[in-house]
Amino acid sequence: MSRAETAEASAGDGAAGGRAAAARAPGPLWTLGLLRNELTTTLRRWRTIALLGVLAAVPVLIGVAIRIETGDGSSAGGGGEGPAFIAQITNNGLFLVFTALAATLPFFLPMAVGVVAGDSVAGEANAGTLRYLLVAPAGRTRLLVTKYATTLAFCLVATLVVAASALIVGALLFPLGELTTISGTRISFGEGLGRALLIALAVAASLVGFAALGLFVSTLTNSGIAAMATTVGLLITVQILDQIPQLHAVQPYFFSHYWLSFADLMRDPVYWDDLVANLELQALYAAVFGTAAWARFTTKDITA
């Protein structure tokens, strides 16, 4: 074979390889399929179903307890104890939504998110499926973004499960109607439902930074259990530190510091300062730990 023929053959092989690589490159539909598969797999796991079941049970327990306590006509929370809005539940069952979210946000909701986020990458590595996911034309960045998007979707689903359960229980056990805001003004039941939805969205958004932290932890180990335990341990540690008065100077930088700011959505007019500060803090955590997770995952040896 002459040099010209050899060059032509090499060029032909290169073009064929380029076409094959282009054919293997994932398109938008492939990415959506990967995201749909991750969502389906996550939500169908028995562990996830159990977590959602526990979250749905919290409003039931609160509602039944208050119903039993107020069976003689007394008002709940008369001593000023318990989560925000609890004293209003007997007057309007919609307040059970706000109370349930206030009760689950400090621990139950983030714990569930920590389990899902911590297991997202480490669980695949431990099961030996991570390398096979990357053999497919996914790419590490695309796969990591998909894992994070799945965790964020779980944040929303978990929050809505709590809100929906509380709304159903509140409607069954207590009267519904106009609401009295924290500011003392009256709003219609329809506007109250709208604010309940906004509060649920605000609670879900409050978990964005913690989800990124859990994802980063998940890239540091090949043990799903270790990643989940570490993430939940960090949650408990930060919650404790946020209650120590001597640390007031650094507490505004803790991811959980503004979590209960959603109560400001029940003021008239709404106080936006803490709500905006919470969203900015969550975005900062998502950017910092999302970048750290990407830097770690793109250099991680998955063959070990």
Side-chain angles (χ1 to χ4, degrees), residues 236-245 247-248 250-251 254:
I236 297 173
T237 302
V238 170
Q239 294 278 40
I240 294 173
L241 294 177
D242 202 21
Q243 302 302 317
I244 300 177
L247 298 178
H248 68 277
V250 297
Q251 285 171 348
F254 294 157

Side-chain angles (χ1 to χ4, degrees), residues 199-221:
I199 285 176
L201 294 177
V203 170
S206 297
L207 299 170
V208 167
F210 180 65
L213 175 60
L215 183 68
F216 170 63
V217 172
S218 187
T219 63
L220 298 178
T221 177

Side-chain angles (χ1 to χ4, degrees), residues 104-193:
T104 55
L105 181 56
F107 182 72
F108 291 104
L109 271 172
M111 182 197 69
V113 172
V115 169
V116 173
D119 190 58
S120 57
V121 176
E124 299 282 7
N126 184 57
T129 55
L130 183 59
R131 68 187 68 184
Y132 298 109
L133 284 174
L134 294 177
V135 167
R140 299 195 180 202
T141 299
R142 192 186 301 267
L143 180 61
L144 189 68
V145 171
T146 301
K147 292 288 187 181
Y148 185 51
T150 301
T151 305
L152 294 184
F154 177 79
C155 293
L156 181 60
V157 170
T159 304
L160 292 178
V161 164
V162 174
S165 174
L167 181 60
I168 294 172
V169 174
L172 291 175
L173 299 181
F174 306 102
L176 298 176
E178 292 186 342
L179 285 79
T180 301
T181 66
I182 296 177
S183 304
T185 59
R186 300 281 292 180
I187 59 176
S188 67
F189 178 72
E191 185 177 350
L193 278 176

Side-chain angles (χ1 to χ4, degrees), residues 262-298:
F262 71 82
D264 289 338
L265 287 169
M266 280 303 295
R267 299 184 187 275
D268 191 15
V270 175
Y271 292 176
W272 293 103
D273 292 350
D274 285 352
L275 287 164
V276 172
N278 181 42
L279 294 178
E280 290 175 347
L281 186 62
Q282 300 307 317
L284 177 63
Y285 268 82
V288 171
F289 287 100
T291 302
W294 173 82
R296 168 62 180 169
F297 188 60
T298 52

